[in-house]
Amino acid sequence: MNLESLNSQQLQAVCHSDGPLMVVAGAGSGKTRVITCRIANLIKEKRFSPESILAITFTNKAAGEMKERVRNMLDLRGASPWVSTFHSFCLRILRKHISELGFSNDFAIYDTQDQLTLIKQCMKATETSTDAFPPKTLLNHIGGFKNNFLMPKDLNLDEMPYGHQLKAADLYPIYQAALKKNNALDFDDLLVLAGMLFQEAPSLRAYYNEKFQHILVDEFQDTNAVQYKLVRLLSESQKNICVVGDDDQSIYRWRGANIENILKFENDYPGTTVIKLEENYRSTQNILKAAGSVVKENRNRKDKTLWTQNEAGSPVLCYRAKDEIDESDFVCQKIQSLNSDEGFSLNDMAILYRTNAQSRVLEDVLRRYGLPYQVIGGLRFYERKEIKDVLAYMRVVLNPSDSVSLKRIINVPVRGIGKTSLEKIERYCRDKGVTLLEGLRDNAQARLTTSAAGKKISQFLQMVDELDATFRQGNPLELLTEVIDRSGYGEMLKKENTRESKGRIENLNELFSAVEQSIENGEDSLQEFLDSASLVADLDNLDDERGVLPLMTLHTCKGLEFSSVFVVGMENGLLPHASSMSEPEEYEEERRLCYVGFTRARKKLFVTHARQRRIYGNIFNYQPSDFLLSIPGEVMTREASGFNTGIELNGKKLSEGSSKTPSYKKYSDDAYSIETKDGTYSIGTKVLHAKFGSGIVLNLSGNEENLGLEVFFKAPYGKKKLSANHAKLIIL
């Protein structure tokens, strides 16, 4: 084991002896190396048994890599440290000791679908309407209770706000009883029950406190309440706890992660040694300065400044595009140039975006350029379930013989056409040699199913006929609208009201843009559009010796690094996302998300924003992200498409081909702001409404006499369309 290459801070963290230790490890500062070297040092130099060391991380991949590194350092052949994720560790403990909580050791682990089935059974038993209370929403709330280490007995129903959360709290004990009856745990239970076990069994807790002489926790900023509790219970006697993390990279608040865990650690563990790893080995000076300038404006963070001995490197290039297609063209041209002229491999570059829906246009343009790509952490746009479902409706209308598409949609959304009924009709179709649709139409006369199922089938066929009438009278865009409305698909996603369903709605909105662009390109028939969508899968499988370009969300990219990174869609409403702009804590997380994206880049960083985007089939004007205002002019150059010639930045005209400006200021052209008697409204303007509270302007329409505003307000109100003349808004 060679420690000579470690810097002084890294060496201090590795060689720290006893007592609580917090390593604040900035992006690219070598934290994984520090953790593995510390484990190896504890075993080789401090003479601790490998089995007395517990290291916890957040992904199986990270755990596997950590094990391998330690093994290679020490040439371990026998016992090894406990290195695992939180869930794996808890499962291991529960398999041994869960009988103390009244479960059998051979308990089952329910996945998401199993959970959904069980909560529906609980709802049926309690006569709870699935229309009024979507099961997925209730499960999300129950998961939230568990992430905060709250069992049913810990909840005060009288203090709960009326609605989904209250109903979830009401069903929580019934759901848990059903799990226990089935001798089953859901995924969150692995953490919660392990926590309960250590909390309620002092002798067991004492045993594991003695067993684990040293505990290390990676990515500590991503821990939730129950994970924090687990760590405290396991380390209460030894206090040899080492946590490694970076509050500037805490980006999973929506998943239960609590940034306060790393901020309060020193208070909960008196005598904590704090070591800051501030030397970055990954990025150029310019990239670091740009990233640091964005995140340092957050108030809720530990003070630190990353630095590097690396070269200054190229300035960050900021491109102002006309629209999302121009933006994608710019990105593809740069990628081609970096690949052919500078030798960057495609798999060492990455395109990062805030929402999955943004990938659609990028994918379209990448295919046009012949650049092979892979969507990481999600499906390609046309392979996403909601897209395939909606397109299946359109395919059935176009080709009634398409039984595969018909079978996909017949009970999506759920219509009460069960598996048994469908099997009877399919058997009839095989015997008669008719299509599935013909078999469905014959059902009433042939009486293949029960009268109740027959009624549901008749309603489904009526909907198909109505869609067919729309198809014959209109264009693909009108048909798409009718599919989402008449099928109930759009309503289903709205009722779910989960982060996942909101993302699916965004993808469907993006599908509107895809269809409209297809029409504008002269592909105005449904057949042409569907053919174009079908070809995507074939082209996506291209195998190119240059490698494959990764596309992913900013949430997915943490822990990765690339020579060149493109962060697209840097506009108010996208990054920062509209849903965060009126909530200070969420807004700070958006800054951290931006910081994470920037610090994935080693050599070159490109950021882009579009003046206009097509959303929901309509053109919206966007203002550049406020985060760009934080970046010093000396580390960033700017380019704009030709349409922008003549606009002013910082009082100086930006002409085509000109890129350098001393600093970045909001654009002042009329497309972004409209002056009224009450003040000037722009996209991003913060306002106050007497009923809805504070909000942020997402879009403008009309003129100063008749100005329409789309404003995003805090929950529970969300997006509202208002008239500036009648809404009596106060500009903040």
Side-chain angles (χ1 to χ4, degrees), residues 102-157:
F103 287 79
S104 170
N105 289 48
D106 60 352
F107 59 86
I109 302 172
Y110 277 3
D111 63 16
T112 304
Q113 195 56 52
D114 296 327
Q115 290 176 250
L116 198 58
T117 300
L118 191 64
I119 194 72
K120 286 178 179 176
Q121 290 175 5
C122 297
M123 294 175 74
K124 187 176 181 180
T126 56
E127 298 182 346
T128 303
S129 169
T130 56
D131 291 328
F133 301 100
K136 285 187 178 180
T137 302
L138 299 183
L139 281 175
N140 277 351
H141 283 298
I142 290 173
F145 298 145
K146 292 182 179 184
N147 285 336
N148 287 316
F149 204 35
L150 296 171
M151 296 308 290
K153 62 181 175 58
D154 302 318
L155 301 178
N156 187 342
L157 299 187

Side-chain angles (χ1 to χ4, degrees), residues 370-422:
L371 293 170
Y373 67 89
Q374 181 182 6
V375 179
I376 308 296
L379 295 170
R380 295 178 178 86
F381 183 81
Y382 290 109
E383 292 178 352
R384 293 167 189 164
K385 181 182 183 306
E386 60 278 10
I387 302 301
K388 293 188 71 167
D389 286 345
V390 169
L391 290 182
Y393 276 96
M394 300 174 79
R395 293 185 190 280
V396 168
V397 171
L398 183 65
N399 179 14
S401 298
D402 187 349
S403 295
V404 173
S405 294
L406 180 57
K407 192 173 179 180
R408 181 182 183 93
I409 62 164
I410 192 169
N411 211 35
V412 178
V414 176
R415 301 187 171 88
I417 304 172
K419 183 181 178 182
T420 303
S421 297
L422 194 57

Side-chain angles (χ1 to χ4, degrees), residues 490-502:
E491 188 62 27
M492 174 188 71
L493 294 179
K494 287 178 184 176
K495 282 184 177 180
E496 282 184 16
N497 195 31
T498 63
R499 185 180 182 89
E500 181 186 7
S501 67
K502 289 175 182 175

Side-chain angles (χ1 to χ4, degrees), residues 287 290-291 294 316-321 324 327-328 330-332 334-335 338 349-355 358-359 362 549-555 557-558 560 562-571 574-577 590-602 604-610 613 624-625 627-628 631 636 664:
I287 291 171
V294 172
V316 177
L317 177 56
C318 177
Y319 180 73
R320 186 190 190 212
E324 67 270 33
E327 177 185 57
S328 300
F330 169 81
V331 170
C332 289
K334 285 294 180 186
I335 288 171
L338 290 168
M349 295 184 272
I351 304 175
L352 311 179
Y353 38 79
R354 178 62 177 82
T355 67
Q358 290 172 256
S359 80
L362 285 162
L549 179 76
L551 279 67
M552 70 193 81
T553 66
L554 288 159
H555 283 102
C557 76
K558 195 154 79 72
L560 304 175
F562 306 91
S563 288
S564 297
V565 168
F566 296 80
V567 181
V568 301
M570 285 207 65
E571 300 125 33
L574 279 178
L575 184 64
H577 196 271
E590 292 290 305
R591 279 193 181 276
R592 295 194 293 271
L593 196 56
C594 180
Y595 170 81
V596 167
F598 284 11
T599 54
R600 299 311 94 195
R602 293 194 295 267
K604 293 182 182 289
L605 174 62
F606 303 85
V607 297
T608 65
H609 57 94
R613 288 187 187 272
S625 172
F627 299 160
L628 295 171
I631 302 175
M636 186 166 71
Y664 197 101

